[in-house]
Amino acid sequence: MHIAILSSPANFHTQKWAESLQAAGNKVSVFSFDDHDFAPKNIQNICVPATFTHKGKASYISYLDGRNLKKALSIHKIDLVLAINATPFGVWAAKANFHPCVIFAVGADILEYAKDKKEQPVYNWNSKEFTKDSLFFKLKQTFTKPIFQHEVAQALHFADGIMADNEVLTKAIHAFFKVPLHKIHLNRGGIEPELFLPNAEMLAALKTHFKIPENATVILSPRGMKPAYQPDVVIDAFEALLAENALPNAYFIMLSAGYDIPKSLEIKGEMMMKKYSHFFFEKNVLSRQKISQLWHLVEVFISAPVYDGYSASLAEGRYMGLIPVVNKIAAHTEILTHQENAWFVEPYNAENLASALKEIMLTKELWKKKFAQNNEKWIAENSIMQNSIKAFFAFVAKIK
């Protein structure tokens, strides 16, 4: 089977699904407007010319014309389309009018629309700074959100099947967008165990790169630096702990995920790196391979988006038997319980996060052992990529 994945070739989920689908004996090609060299190994990256561009680059409007995509899918003799993200790739698939088509919906695709205005978090997916959104931004959101919502709804109803990686999303797709239940499938994706086998050379290089002291306990913030991931809370908590030297054996690392970094966060992160020897602010994107090895050096990690689907970094940290520190959102309460397989910080703010990290470190080994037992079992039963691929094809067999 020749499968077309519609998504950015640099996207983490694109690479995971493309490599796993091809490893299962299929031919996989990635279609996008991006001529990107960070494509998965041995996966063909097909750059489709955009009909409409803004300043020479594709924009959301570009995805509303599927004619060039339709031609490309025909030329490459595609058997099945998998659009990763309803916005904009599911919309693009619908405009190309290609069947069979499966859309893999993620958090922002659905939850930006399926929430009452009163429930909307402080930061949404498009927020770029930690200040209140400007009047221009609010006006733009007011006018464009109904358009995006309409296009996503059309795409979901066009698709032959829709995958979502947690129950919050499956329920929202059905309840808010009125998609029939038989078209919706829970598939969490998950872990590729072979990727996490320790590589001594890469581990040594990572220790050197991050300047990790010997015998230090690494506390990692692996999520992106977008406001939607609340990195301002993380960095404020780290700063408070470093300033009072509350955890002398701890070493704090914050990672980027390829999104724009708010200027205020970038300035603060660089300042803290100069001031504190036990803090590292990584502005560049690490490869999947490096991230999988970095987990071997970590003991505690933080995952606290304002909302989410099923977090890949949360799954990876749990698989590695580490201590997850999370906020109380529906995507977390669905699969985690406080002091059973994770540590909840509620309400989630810098002061409470710093206090939680102090408390965890007092009896770290106890929590690590308890959480590891529960998390490793859950991941093995629910979130191994090879099993998710089998479930994907079982789902496709029913819809074709």
Side-chain angles (χ1 to χ4, degrees):
M1 183 185 296
H2 191 179
I3 301 171
I5 291 183
L6 310 188
S7 186
S8 167
N11 180 279
F12 175 92
H13 299 286
T14 306
Q15 295 175 19
K16 177 190 287 282
W17 278 91
E19 290 176 358
S20 297
L21 287 168
Q22 185 141 303
N26 305 278
K27 182 180 179 182
V28 178
S29 300
V30 177
F31 290 72
S32 72
F33 294 133
D34 301 330
D35 186 14
H36 205 291
D37 59 2
F38 192 32
K41 293 178 182 177
N42 305 317
I43 306 291
Q44 187 177 16
N45 179 31
I46 297 165
C47 182
V48 179
T51 307
F52 307 111
T53 60
H54 177 65
K55 296 181 180 179
K57 293 184 178 181
S59 67
Y60 186 83
I61 300 297
S62 309
Y63 295 94
L64 300 181
D65 186 343
R67 289 173 295 178
N68 289 342
L69 174 62
K70 186 174 184 176
K71 290 177 187 175
L73 295 172
S74 176
I75 289 169
H76 291 277
K77 296 181 171 56
I78 296 301
D79 299 305
L80 172 72
V81 160
L82 171 60
I84 297 180
N85 288 25
T87 310
F89 294 100
V91 170
W92 200 28
K95 298 301 180 183
N97 195 30
F98 185 94
H99 293 284
C101 170
V102 175
I103 291 177
F104 189 14
V106 297
D109 282 338
I110 306 304
L111 300 182
E112 283 287 318
Y113 311 116
K115 281 181 173 287
D116 186 273
K117 284 184 179 179
K118 295 176 184 177
E119 299 176 14
Q120 288 288 2
V122 177
Y123 309 123
N124 64 32
W125 184 250
N126 294 313
S127 296
K128 293 183 178 179
E129 290 290 343
F130 300 112
T131 54
K132 288 184 178 180
D133 292 328
S134 66
L135 179 60
F136 173 76
F137 180 86
K138 288 178 179 177
L139 286 171
K140 183 180 176 183
Q141 285 284 97
T142 299
F143 285 106
T144 60
K145 186 174 178 178
I147 297 171
F148 296 164
Q149 182 178 309
H150 172 74
E151 293 295 341
V152 167
Q154 282 199 322
L156 293 174
H157 284 276
F158 166 85
D160 300 288
I162 302 155
M163 291 196 308
D165 56 20
N166 73 350
E167 292 177 3
V168 176
L169 299 182
T170 60
K171 290 174 182 176
I173 291 166
H174 173 63
F176 187 82
F177 289 102
K178 310 303 180 188
V179 175
L181 285 171
H182 73 269
K183 288 180 61 171
I184 306 169
H185 174 64
L186 175 67
N187 189 321
R188 297 191 187 277
I191 300 301
E192 304 132 289
E194 65 280 4
L195 198 63
F196 295 84
L197 297 173
N199 180 312
E201 185 178 344
M202 194 175 290
L203 284 169
L206 287 168
K207 279 185 180 180
T208 300
H209 173 77
F210 285 106
K211 303 175 184 177
I212 300 173
E214 287 298 320
N215 302 316
T217 295
V218 175
I219 299 175
L220 174 69
S221 175
R223 302 305 296 265
M225 293 179 186
K226 286 178 70 72
Y229 291 133
Q230 303 190 83
D232 53 329
V233 173
V234 176
I235 201 168
D236 285 351
F238 285 0
E239 183 181 34
L241 292 168
L242 287 160
E244 62 176 287
N245 195 27
L247 301 174
N249 293 325
Y251 189 81
F252 304 90
I253 298 176
M254 290 189 72
L255 298 184
S256 170
Y259 306 114
D260 291 337
I261 302 172
K263 195 64 182 176
S264 58
L265 184 69
E266 185 175 2
I267 292 169
K268 185 167 186 173
E270 290 176 345
M271 178 274 293
M272 285 176 59
M273 272 190 71
K274 291 176 182 176
K275 187 174 181 180
Y276 301 109
S277 62
H278 277 222
F279 176 80
F280 199 101
F281 186 75
E282 179 60 73
K283 293 194 292 184
N284 297 314
V285 183
L286 268 62
S287 67
R288 291 180 63 222
Q289 289 72 23
K290 287 181 179 178
I291 290 287
S292 67
Q293 293 301 306
L294 179 60
W295 287 115
H296 287 277
L297 307 175
V298 175
E299 292 192 67
V300 182
F301 70 100
I302 300 159
S303 182
V306 292
Y307 59 72
D308 206 3
Y310 178 67
S311 162
S313 63
L314 180 60
E316 292 181 0
R318 295 176 70 200
Y319 173 75
M320 294 297 291
L322 310 181
I323 299 175
V325 180
V326 301
N327 59 334
K328 195 173 183 180
I329 58 172
H332 291 160
T333 56
E334 177 184 320
I335 56 176
L336 301 172
T337 302
H338 181 52
Q339 294 188 353
E340 288 296 322
N341 52 7
W343 192 285
F344 279 80
V345 177
E346 176 66 19
Y348 184 75
N349 56 45
E351 183 180 357
N352 289 344
L353 177 57
S355 295
L357 292 173
K358 285 182 188 177
E359 191 172 350
I360 289 166
M361 292 291 280
L362 286 173
T363 50
K364 178 188 64 177
E365 295 307 318
L366 181 152
W367 296 116
K368 189 175 179 183
K369 182 179 179 181
K370 182 178 183 180
F371 292 174
Q373 289 174 340
N374 295 332
N375 284 326
E376 288 169 10
K377 182 176 184 293
W378 190 94
I379 293 290
E381 293 174 352
N382 298 279
S383 190
I384 297 297
M385 197 64 192
Q386 189 176 6
N387 296 334
S388 295
I389 294 296
K390 291 177 182 176
F392 169 77
F393 283 114
F395 179 53
V396 167
K398 292 179 181 178
I399 64 175
K400 285 184 69 176

